[in-house]
Amino acid sequence: METLHCTTMHSTIGPLFLAASAQGLVALEFDARLPGQQSIRPNPRHLRNEKRGEKEGKGFKFEDSTRQMRSYVSELEEYFAGKRREFNFPLDLRGTDFQLACWRALLAIPYGETRTYAAIARAVGKPTAFRAVGMANNRNPIAIVVPCHRVIASDGTLCGYGGGLDVKRKLLQLEGALTRTLAA
């Protein structure tokens, strides 16, 4: 069973759960999950039996480790303070080939800019697969850093986000990406 170091940090959009392998960040999840939302974390009902800060779930053993997660937390704190536009820590993305292609396309969206689902579909060479792109975004395990919040509907409106549309709006405002049309 693989051990992932983890921590929960407080941010301007609420608590965030972070988990990392020896290769890099594996998960960044909103603490408050929407019903049916994917999570790397174990079922909360199983956490009643936790001991010594260790939890098990989904083939992972989680070890609370504030010290080993410090570099991730530090860069995220700088991002929320408006002092960081790019993250320098390594990522350990895990998914299907299509999901990985979509997540890499998300990583290519510059800070302060947005793209449509259709644009991401074209970027991954599947121009009619915008719904599949939406599903890949929904399965994105590393919110904020793999910036699925920067993807909007073709008509320019905000849609679909694991942290909720209010959080998506706050992240886009932080980055200066909201236009008058989106802010309305």
Side-chain angles (χ1 to χ4, degrees), residues 12 74-87 111 170-171 173-176:
T12 57
S74 178
E75 287 193 27
L76 284 159
E77 288 172 341
E78 290 171 3
Y79 168 82
F80 286 113
K83 297 177 180 176
R84 175 173 292 278
R85 293 175 170 234
E86 294 179 8
F87 298 98
Y111 180 97
K170 286 178 183 178
L171 293 171
Q173 285 173 333
L174 171 71
E175 296 182 7

Side-chain angles (χ1 to χ4, degrees), residues 28-97:
L28 192 163
E29 300 177 353
F30 301 101
D31 198 49
R33 293 188 302 258
L34 299 174
Q37 189 175 351
Q38 296 289 329
S39 176
I40 194 171
R41 292 178 278 182
N43 184 326
R45 287 177 293 201
H46 298 147
L47 299 183
R48 292 184 196 129
N49 299 325
E50 284 182 30
K51 292 182 184 171
R52 297 181 295 9
E54 295 181 1
K55 314 168 192 92
E56 291 186 12
K58 302 200 179 182
F60 303 113
K61 181 172 118 182
F62 294 88
E63 188 174 295
D64 287 324
S65 180
T66 303
R67 184 181 55 80
Q68 292 196 300
M69 298 301 293
R70 187 67 206 143
S71 63
Y72 301 104
V73 170
S74 178
E75 287 193 27
L76 284 159
E77 288 172 341
E78 290 171 3
Y79 168 82
F80 286 113
K83 297 177 180 176
R84 175 173 292 278
R85 293 175 170 234
E86 294 179 8
F87 298 98
N88 295 321
F89 49 74
L91 301 179
D92 184 1
L93 288 169
R94 301 171 183 199
T96 67
D97 289 343

Side-chain angles (χ1 to χ4, degrees), residues 122-144:
R122 287 190 300 274
V124 299
K126 306 277 186 187
T128 61
F130 48 89
R131 286 193 178 117
V133 165
M135 287 307 298
N137 280 10
N138 179 267
R139 302 271 192 256
N140 174 14
I142 307 177
I144 301 165

Side-chain angles (χ1 to χ4, degrees), residues 106-175:
L106 297 177
L107 287 165
I109 304 172
Y111 180 97
E113 294 185 21
T114 59
R115 299 289 184 274
T116 64
Y117 291 95
I120 300 298
R122 287 190 300 274
V124 299
K126 306 277 186 187
T128 61
F130 48 89
R131 286 193 178 117
V133 165
M135 287 307 298
N137 280 10
N138 179 267
R139 302 271 192 256
N140 174 14
I142 307 177
I144 301 165
V145 177
V146 177
C148 54
H149 62 277
R150 295 179 187 156
V151 182
I152 60 173
S154 292
D155 66 0
T157 60
L158 300 185
C159 61
Y161 191 61
L165 292 183
D166 186 51
V167 169
K168 185 172 189 164
R169 180 175 280 107
K170 286 178 183 178
L171 293 171
L172 291 173
Q173 285 173 333
L174 171 71
E175 296 182 7

